[in-house]
Amino acid sequence: MAFPSEDSAVDARTIYAKPFPKSTTDEHVRELFGIYGSIRRVKLRREAATNSFRGSVYVEFVDAASAHAAVNSPPQQPRADSVAPGTHQRFHVMMKPDYERKRANASSS
């Protein structure tokens, strides 16, 4: 399930989100982000060598407005740490092109 970066229409409706626990499923991501609109695809990002889940996802919505809504007001998740039990933390969510630019800049420095 590829997300072609050369397709600006796909990029305009695709978000990058993290952190997710290792137990995350496609269905869990759809449940969390489905509140913003219809989801076309979910891709759990995996390590190439081991196929282990990286803890981040790409979510492609049917329309760009849904993607922007998710970026502007990310969902919350229960904290996995014991620092603040019973509290929630927001997912880190950004548009896919912004994430890819940030990653490219980090690797070139």
Side-chain angles (χ1 to χ4, degrees):
M1 168 183 345
F3 287 86
S5 59
E6 65 276 356
D7 185 346
S8 61
V10 171
D11 283 353
R13 60 181 186 253
T14 302
I15 61 167
Y16 165 84
K18 71 175 189 178
F20 286 89
K22 298 289 182 193
S23 60
T24 298
T25 63
D26 181 286
E27 293 78 24
H28 176 71
V29 174
R30 286 178 181 276
E31 183 180 306
L32 278 171
F33 286 95
I35 63 172
Y36 301 101
S38 296
I39 295 172
R40 180 166 292 163
R41 285 184 276 218
V42 171
K43 180 180 180 187
L44 303 178
R45 297 185 67 235
R46 300 192 174 277
E47 294 291 337
T50 63
N51 200 36
S52 62
F53 178 53
R54 289 184 176 182
S56 60
V57 301
Y58 287 122
V59 179
E60 180 189 343
F61 289 92
V62 171
D63 61 76
S66 298
H68 289 284
V71 169
N72 292 332
S73 182
Q76 294 185 0
Q77 66 178 339
R79 290 185 66 101
D81 58 28
S82 60
V83 174
T87 62
H88 290 79
Q89 65 182 9
R90 289 209 180 271
F91 285 94
H92 181 75
V93 180
M94 63 177 53
M95 296 303 296
K96 181 182 178 216
D98 296 337
Y99 166 70
E100 289 178 346
R101 267 192 300 280
K102 182 178 174 182
R103 189 175 75 179
N105 289 339
S107 67
S108 68
S109 328

